[in-house]
Amino acid sequence: WIDEMRAGPHPLRERMTRFWHGFFTSSMRDVKSSVAMIGQHELLRENALGSFRDLLAGIVRDPAMLIYLNNNQNRRGKPNENLARELMELFSLGEGNYTEEDVKEAARALTGWHVQRGEFRVVGRQHDRGPKTVLGETGRLDGDDLPAILLAQPACARWVAGGLIE
């Protein structure tokens, strides 16, 4: 990979893929699926120089990320906040730019977003279909709604740009 970054046909894309791999952190140790990790790497490479909106929307559905952040344990009536918190804190807004209530409501939006047989699936009976309010947006939100809500926050551009220039 280092050789591809240095002398391959698309060095900038490879360097940005590496950047996004650190930004959207996960771990083979926790995911325990080379197929899922390769899929995540391909998602990052395909979107490395493209739209952050597409990248964020892809990460929300990425099997490796869903496994890494325990979203298979995120069920209606018993939301798991790991993915929702990291979406806000590390992947889009930075600490202090959301409330604990936003995390709880975003976790509800992600209920039922699971990995089954290595693929992303929405398990309808596990999804909380009730109204939720995340960062001032109210509705019957699900994980597909979260990227647009996060991207609309002024903190998002600052957070992502800050990560790029560090």
Side-chain angles (χ1 to χ4, degrees), residues 12 25 28 31-32 36 41-42 46 56 62 67 74 96 104 108-110 113 121 127-128 155:
L12 178 59
T25 189
M28 179 64 177
V31 175
K32 298 181 175 102
H41 189 80
E42 289 172 355
E46 288 169 12
L56 192 59
D62 177 62
I67 293 166
N74 192 0
K104 290 176 186 196
R108 288 181 54 222
L110 291 162
W113 284 49
R121 297 272 190 263
H127 179 66
D128 181 339

Side-chain angles (χ1 to χ4, degrees), residues 16 86 96 104 118 130:
M16 288 305 299
E86 299 307 342
K104 290 176 186 196

Side-chain angles (χ1 to χ4, degrees), residues 112-127:
W113 284 49
H114 295 175
V115 177
Q116 293 180 334
R117 294 182 212 90
E119 307 248 337
F120 167 76
R121 297 272 190 263
V122 177
V123 180
R125 70 183 183 281
Q126 295 296 335
H127 179 66

Side-chain angles (χ1 to χ4, degrees), residues 21-125:
H21 180 71
F23 191 86
F24 294 108
T25 189
S26 60
S27 163
M28 179 64 177
R29 184 185 70 225
D30 296 316
V31 175
K32 298 181 175 102
S33 169
S34 57
V35 171
M37 292 300 294
I38 290 168
Q40 183 180 81
H41 189 80
E42 289 172 355
L43 169 72
L44 299 176
R45 178 174 279 122
E46 288 169 12
N47 293 281
L49 297 173
S51 162
F52 184 69
R53 177 180 305 274
D54 294 343
L55 192 51
L56 192 59
I59 282 294
V60 171
R61 291 172 163 255
D62 177 62
M65 193 61 69
L66 292 169
I67 293 166
Y68 181 67
L69 293 174
N70 311 110
N71 217 66
N72 272 2
Q73 286 76 48
N74 192 0
R75 293 170 163 66
R76 180 187 61 215
K78 193 174 180 187
N80 180 303
E81 298 175 5
N82 290 356
L83 179 56
R85 183 174 306 284
E86 299 307 342
L87 274 173
M88 293 182 190
E89 186 172 326
L90 296 179
F91 303 162
S92 65
L93 302 179
E95 195 172 357
N97 294 300
Y98 57 88
T99 67
E100 284 301 307
E101 193 60 28
D102 291 322
V103 171
K104 290 176 186 196
E105 294 287 280
R108 288 181 54 222
L110 291 162
T111 55
W113 284 49
H114 295 175
V115 177
Q116 293 180 334
R117 294 182 212 90
E119 307 248 337
F120 167 76
R121 297 272 190 263
V122 177
V123 180
R125 70 183 183 281

